[in-house]
Amino acid sequence: MQTPSTQARQTRDSARILAELSTGNIELAEGRARSLVSERPDDPAAQYAYGLVLLIKGEAASSIPWLEKANRQLPDNVVCRANLGVACLRAGRLEDAIGHLQVVLQQKPDYHEASYNLGCALLENGQASEALDCFRTLARQQPENADYICAIGDAARELHDWHQAVKRYRQAIAVSADCSRACSNLVPILMHAGYIDEAVELANRAIELEPRQISARKTLGDCLARQELFDDAMDAYADAYDIDPESAVLCAAIGDLWLETGDQGEATSWYQKAIQLDEHNINAQCGLARIIRDNGNTERALEILTPLLEQSADSPDLQLALGNALWDDGDAEAALQHFRTAQALQPEQVSLHARAAQVLSSSGDVEQAIAEHSLALEKNPSCIASLNGLAVTRRGKLAPKHVQTMERMLENDGLRSGARASLHNGLASCYDGIKDHETAAGHMQQANRHQWQSRTRRGWTYDPDRYADYVSALTETFDRDYFERIAGLGNPDRTPVFIVGMPRSGTTLTEQILARHPQVLGIGERNFAGQTFHVFTQSAGDMDTGCLSCFRDPDPGRITGLAGQYLARLDALKQKSGMPDAARVVDKLPDNYSLLGWILTLFPNAKIIHCRRDPRAVALSCWMTQFGSIRWACNEQHLVERIRQYRRLMDHWRNVIPDSFMELDYESLVANQETESRRLIDWIGLDWDDSCLSFYESDRLIRTASITQVREPIYNRSVERWKAYEPWLPDLLNPLTDMLDRQNAGS
């Protein structure tokens, strides 16, 4: 039995430990507490003191048994039970934490710290509404407490009420400029909403307040990357990495930055490091899938991403990655569903509206696409993706307020090149729509100049001389002798149909006409031919002339095998599209004109359609279009030279394999739709069907830079539109006119 003097000494010992904790002497406090529980293991005061030391040291799981022992002996000690609740919260035992803290508040309803920790436990347990009630009550009782106000923002964010979250974070900062948590939590919301400059300012303030906080440094890097300040972004990530090299989230972000700047090898290594640190890191897995997708293997990317939904369906990054992959795969309906889910999960990310609008436009629902862009602009009137999308869609009918916004934004000297390119591109469409060709041409020039600057920062290069050498190598490899040598090789199947030519030469219109036939499936732009070519040649990359040596003595077995794999992929698409009996499958990847030798090696009976158009019309249309992956279209010299080499290669095919493809002139198709359409259907070996004349009524989702045009009947307003730009784009159009004049003189 303890005497009063013994109890007093125990109380003094415990009090001394607590005093040492309060002054930060954790090591000394831990030594005393360990000695105390060793001497008196059943003493609740000693148990509590030791449990509290472990909790403050960050060893929450180890502290729980000691605090539980003390709590059993001191059931009415609300402070002991409250700290037990905190320990359970930090150890992830959320239900236990909630239970203990609720008991505390029953005993002492005005215990604010317990109420706050209960709200935190509820929030972490997915009970955001209940947490919000806790935090609101606290904020009413102590309206000058920035932590409580910030907590309301946290709960609102979890409930996807980003307007309320922004309001509360701003309020917390107004109450206390030193509230680094509010600064840090507000930054990603502002970033996703497109307010990058303010996000950068707040991130820097958060870092100043808490220099060792990596989340603010990481988000600062994210913002700087969006501003195309890639070196500065890497510095921000590097500073965070110095603090915590074991952060999987940070490693994945570094991988994203390397991928953004075009270094897939470095990106892969950082993604792999992130997965080593956290095998469930979604961003790293999405990054690896994106690399695979960027290299043309969308099917494999989907195989990686789809199973992740089972555990991470609430990840907006995963939903966006799946949407992008499905969009590449031609399944725009499913892509739209994932973009919608991502919107619901992250409503503050206004650029998702522009992404959804792109799909809606492609499905022919232009009005809904416009509504989607408008919704984005309601949230952020300066959302560049939707300003551009709306301008390209509405053209001369764009509301003056949006035109004024775009022109005002261009006055900002700090605007990044990519943003400038998008704004100039949108304005070019507007002024082209009202036939102010001089102003439109000026914006086109600026759009392409800034796009090239932006893309080169991301690792883009293009060498027209190297492409000319590659065309020469193709003509030398696939000559008459080659086709005589391979007679009898390949698969005789007549299913594949290829539409080739320059972009903007009528390839999409041609596919739409064919795809309206009940026996024809259009699959859009697929890289199947290129993928099989790279497998067969084991090429080191695009324009690798050395790999062509394998065609001196091609392996018949490998050709047969690759042709079979190709047809299997077409069969899978037929099944997926609900057209298992389709007699023809149309691939409209324009650049396949460079692969006609390989295509006819695989499928000697394949039907090929070469879409031709006045090269000046092609050049103007390419010049006005911001392509996502075409590297030669935003430099006048590169564009002109690309057209020259394309025409040189088509002259070669015309000379070597004249009977293997038909030629379709865009101008003739516009002038004689039915005649040319019948010729198309006859060429692919099918009987005529009148539905081919109403191609624009198709409800099939498509991917093209001319989505609004292929939903209309054939028109001729763009046939000679290039003439209006002759005075304003001489460096682009005059060389092509000279080329045609020399050709006509020679003929």
Side-chain angles (χ1 to χ4, degrees), residues 82-261:
N83 280 316
L84 174 56
V86 172
C88 290
L89 169 60
R90 293 180 183 175
R93 290 170 47 175
L94 301 177
E95 295 292 346
D96 290 338
I98 292 168
H100 287 304
L101 292 166
Q102 286 175 335
V103 171
V104 168
L105 291 169
Q106 288 170 3
Q107 296 173 304
K108 188 179 180 182
D110 62 346
Y111 195 161
H112 292 148
E113 291 84 355
S115 184
Y116 176 73
N117 284 315
L118 174 60
C120 293
L122 290 166
L123 186 61
E124 197 166 331
N125 200 42
Q127 298 170 257
S129 295
E130 294 89 335
L132 186 59
D133 290 339
C134 277
F135 297 142
R136 280 176 171 162
T137 300
L138 285 168
R140 281 194 297 269
Q141 294 169 347
Q142 295 189 11
E144 297 304 311
N145 189 311
D147 285 334
Y148 296 163
I149 299 169
C150 187
I152 296 175
D154 294 343
R157 183 184 59 190
E158 289 300 309
L159 291 167
H160 306 306
D161 186 352
W162 71 280
H163 288 289
Q164 183 66 214
V166 169
K167 176 183 175 181
R168 293 301 185 172
Y169 290 141
R170 292 193 191 282
Q171 183 184 355
I173 294 169
V175 167
S176 173
D178 294 338
C179 186
S180 64
R181 175 176 152 206
C183 293
S184 295
N185 291 351
L186 182 53
V187 168
I189 297 178
L190 293 173
M191 179 183 70
H192 289 311
Y195 298 103
I196 306 296
D197 291 340
E198 186 182 357
V200 169
E201 180 183 343
L202 280 174
N204 281 316
R205 186 192 301 180
I207 292 167
E208 185 179 336
L209 292 169
E210 287 190 49
R212 294 194 63 78
Q213 181 193 155
I214 72 160
S215 62
R217 293 183 184 276
K218 186 265 180 187
T219 313
L220 174 61
D222 296 343
C223 292
L224 293 169
R226 292 197 179 202
Q227 290 182 316
E228 300 181 31
L229 300 172
F230 299 125
D231 290 340
D232 293 339
M234 189 61 81
D235 286 342
Y237 290 148
D239 289 341
Y241 187 75
D242 288 341
I243 297 169
D244 185 5
E246 301 301 309
S247 169
V249 171
L250 184 57
C251 290
I254 295 172
D256 288 342
L257 187 56
W258 280 113
L259 186 55
E260 186 71 8
T261 53

Side-chain angles (χ1 to χ4, degrees), residues 339-351:
F339 294 149
R340 292 293 194 203
T341 302
Q343 283 179 331
L345 291 168
Q346 205 167 59
E348 70 273 22
Q349 189 168 172
V350 294
S351 61

